Amino acid sequence: MLNMEKAKELLQATPEESQSLSQHLPPLTSDTKFCFYEHFILRGIQVDRVEPGLVVCTFKVPPRFTDRTGKLAKGAVANLVDEVGGAVAHSESHPMNVSVDMSISYLSTAHVNDELEITSRLLGRKGGYSGTIVHLRNKATGELIAEGRHSLFGRHASKM
């Protein structure tokens, strides 16, 4: 039961976060494209650079992303690879993509308040298929935390 209480504590928004959420997020209705999950994962990411085929972000590891030993959780890394890898593959000319395959090499770890640099590059696109590679590095030391390859598929517009 103690672990459940700790989990609730980590997931609970501070009053400041709750106020921020209520001011910036649209009300949830059946036609809203808002997703709590994406906000939970992406909250705190700072986008530093965006170019065609490249997205570079900075992210400070929050307590909600750590495991019981205080290290960056592997599931959190997988979610960051998914979201940032999907962002670099997004294109106005292509509808939203769905993940079809992801592989991640966990090379090191990070701790609460470590600042990470997340770099996502588009490896290529063929029809509706896109491939990306995502690197998570400790910004202070340059140490590679994880490398993820992410494959996505989305229907492309018909030529008819």
Side-chain angles (χ1 to χ4, degrees):
M1 191 65 162
L2 184 59
N3 287 337
M4 184 58 91
E5 292 305 315
K6 183 170 179 156
K8 285 181 184 176
E9 180 183 312
L10 289 173
L11 293 174
Q12 192 166 349
T14 65
E16 295 82 18
E17 290 172 333
S18 295
Q19 182 67 23
S20 176
L21 281 171
S22 65
Q23 290 177 357
H24 299 290
L25 298 176
L28 292 176
T29 62
S30 60
D31 62 332
T32 300
K33 294 184 179 176
F34 164 74
C35 176
F36 171 79
Y37 169 77
E38 288 174 344
H39 175 75
F40 181 79
I41 297 304
L42 298 174
R43 184 176 62 201
I45 285 187
Q46 175 184 324
V47 179
D48 299 326
R49 198 165 111 204
V50 177
E51 296 175 11
L54 175 72
V55 174
V56 180
C57 305
T58 300
F59 184 68
K60 191 174 191 181
V61 177
R64 71 179 189 276
F65 273 26
T66 59
D67 60 20
R68 65 180 144 231
T69 67
K71 295 178 181 173
L72 180 62
K74 304 234 182 329
V77 171
N79 283 292
L80 289 168
V81 168
D82 185 26
E83 292 296 331
V84 181
V88 77
H90 180 71
S91 166
E92 291 302 319
S93 62
H94 292 79
M96 283 305 289
N97 297 302
V98 295
S99 298
V100 282
D101 185 50
M102 220 175 9
S103 65
I104 302 170
S105 298
Y106 298 94
L107 306 166
S108 186
T109 191
H111 298 87
V112 172
N113 295 325
D114 281 354
E115 196 168 42
L116 305 180
E117 180 180 69
I118 306 169
T119 304
S120 181
R121 294 185 188 280
L122 183 67
L123 295 173
R125 179 175 282 138
K126 176 93 172 168
Y129 180 83
S130 300
T132 68
I133 187 164
V134 181
H135 288 118
L136 283 80
R137 289 188 185 281
N138 182 309
K139 203 164 185 177
T141 66
E143 182 177 28
L144 188 61
I145 304 297
E147 176 184 88
R149 291 188 178 253
H150 189 196
S151 301
L152 303 108
F153 184 79
R155 293 183 321 198
H156 54 286
S158 173
K159 294 181 183 179
M160 296 177 85

